Amino acid sequence: MPSGHGEQVRSTVGLVARLLLAGVFAVAGIAKLRDLDVAELSVKSYRLLPDGVAGVVGIVLPLVEVVLAVLLLVGFGTRIAAAIVALLLVAFIIGIASLWWRGLSVGCGCFGSSLLAADSPPSYALEIVRDTGLLVAAGWLVVRPRSLWSLDSRLNQPTRTMRGT
Amino acid sequence: MSNGQKRRGKNPVAQARASSGSNRMTYLIVAGVVAVAVVVGVLIAVNRGSGSSADDAAATPSSTVTMPANTVSDTAIVLGQDTAKAKVELYVDLQCPACKAYEGRVASTLEQDVVAGKVQVLVHPVAILDDASSTKYSSRAGAAVFCAADEGKYWPYAKLLYEKQPAEGSDGLADSTLVELGTQVGLTSKAFATCVTTQAKASVIAESTTAATKGGLSGTPTIKVNGTKLEKGTLEELKAAIAAV
């Protein structure tokens, strides 16, 4: 049964993508929530949004990251959650690229950071590569949200049986 | 068991749709949960915004001690006695928002420890953010705090400049405003006003910046306690470092 096998492989890839994104977003969100001053300053330091708006985004962002991490972890609403994750990642990539482009050396603050200056300059290229990798994982889930051990498949099981008969 | 057979026998497209969480109810729930997170975040941010300025205002009078007048050495602005065991070095840029935030966190602790003779604070103002304003506010403010330091009033003046810190990307504060703010902390002398408006300390802040950069400064704020760089930027970290000396 080659098709059944492929299906299983793809569902496993979906699971890995979910767990990867959930892990990264949970770590990033929680790290930022641990120091809200830094979370606010971090978004302001991009100098892309007015200070007032940036401060609000700085607090909203980690909360949304944690919520998305939980949704992906349990596999609920995988497609829509992954789509929001993908949008965020695109925004992050644009933001980091704009720092690079403008020659600002301010660390992306992706995983929270310290109020104090970092020892080494930020590595924008690496950050963009990392976010692009995550974007691929999110894209996979948007296109093919079915994955192993997801709440989605559990919840839809009764519907499916009804439809199947 | 039979479930597995059923699953395999089904049309893969319908199957995918059914189990992918793409039905309307799921979308609504996800949108709702995300919306709640956004609303909670906005509420926290708004609360902090209004609360933090009130906190700042409250924090200043509530610290019962006042930082003593500073002296000026070749390389730094010095607060507290030479006999203090812990030397806390601050590399700060008046334009740097994180410096402002750090100052807000640690100022009252430093004031108490300096008055108690436990800590000597050595401030190295630097100007590395001139490109963050259209008027090189970083350098001008840096020069202005050296003017204030000549009269022993670095600490209250720098505190006030942090409070009035212009946003990055703005025009910064005008020299006349820098003079006017000085009068609020008792810098009413003609000498101070002239010092600020003529940029008399421009070379001092430039030298201070060059020296710090040569010494490996990577950014602001950089805080050292007896030569060891702090990393986390929390008050607890600073307190522990002072206690460990």
Side-chain angles (χ1 to χ4, degrees), chain B residues 47-64:
Chain B
N47 255 322
R48 279 169 53 82
S50 57
S52 76
S53 58
D55 286 349
D56 289 350
T60 318
S62 78
S63 88
T64 46

Side-chain angles (χ1 to χ4, degrees), chain A residues 47, chain B residues 93 95-97 127-133 137-138 168 220:
Chain A
R47 298 188 215 164
Chain B
D93 187 315
Q95 173 77 80
C96 143
I128 55 172
L129 296 169
D130 271 339
D131 63 353
S133 68
Y137 176 74
S138 183
E168 290 183 293
T220 54

Side-chain angles (χ1 to χ4, degrees), chain B residues 131-224:
Chain B
D131 63 353
S133 68
S134 59
T135 58
K136 304 204 169 186
Y137 176 74
S138 183
S139 279
R140 290 188 298 111
V145 296
F146 274 109
C147 297
D150 271 355
E151 301 193 24
K153 290 195 182 288
Y154 167 80
W155 197 258
Y157 186 60
K159 255 187 157 174
L160 186 57
L161 290 197
Y162 280 133
E163 208 177 292
K164 307 285 182 192
Q165 187 177 67
E168 290 183 293
S170 74
D171 290 342
L173 304 178
D175 284 350
S176 56
T177 311
L178 290 174
V179 172
E180 202 279 317
L181 290 172
T183 62
Q184 290 183 29
V185 293
L187 287 161
T188 49
S189 73
K190 188 88 202 291
F192 173 74
T194 312
C195 179
V196 172
T197 50
T198 62
Q199 293 290 308
K201 299 288 184 183
S203 60
V204 179
I205 181 70
E207 277 164 29
S208 173
T209 307
T210 311
T213 314
K214 272 191 188 151
L217 184 79
S218 61
T220 54
T222 290
I223 314 298
K224 291 180 186 170

Side-chain angles (χ1 to χ4, degrees), chain B residues 5 10 13 25 38 40 48 51 55 76 80 88 94 120 134 139 147 149 175-176 202 204 208 216 235 243-244:
Chain B
Q5 277 171 346
K10 280 194 42 186
V13 175
M25 192 59 183
V38 171
V40 169
R48 279 169 53 82
D55 286 349
V88 177
L94 275 300
Q120 184 178 50
S134 59
S139 279
C147 297
D175 284 350
S176 56
V204 179
S208 173
L235 177 59

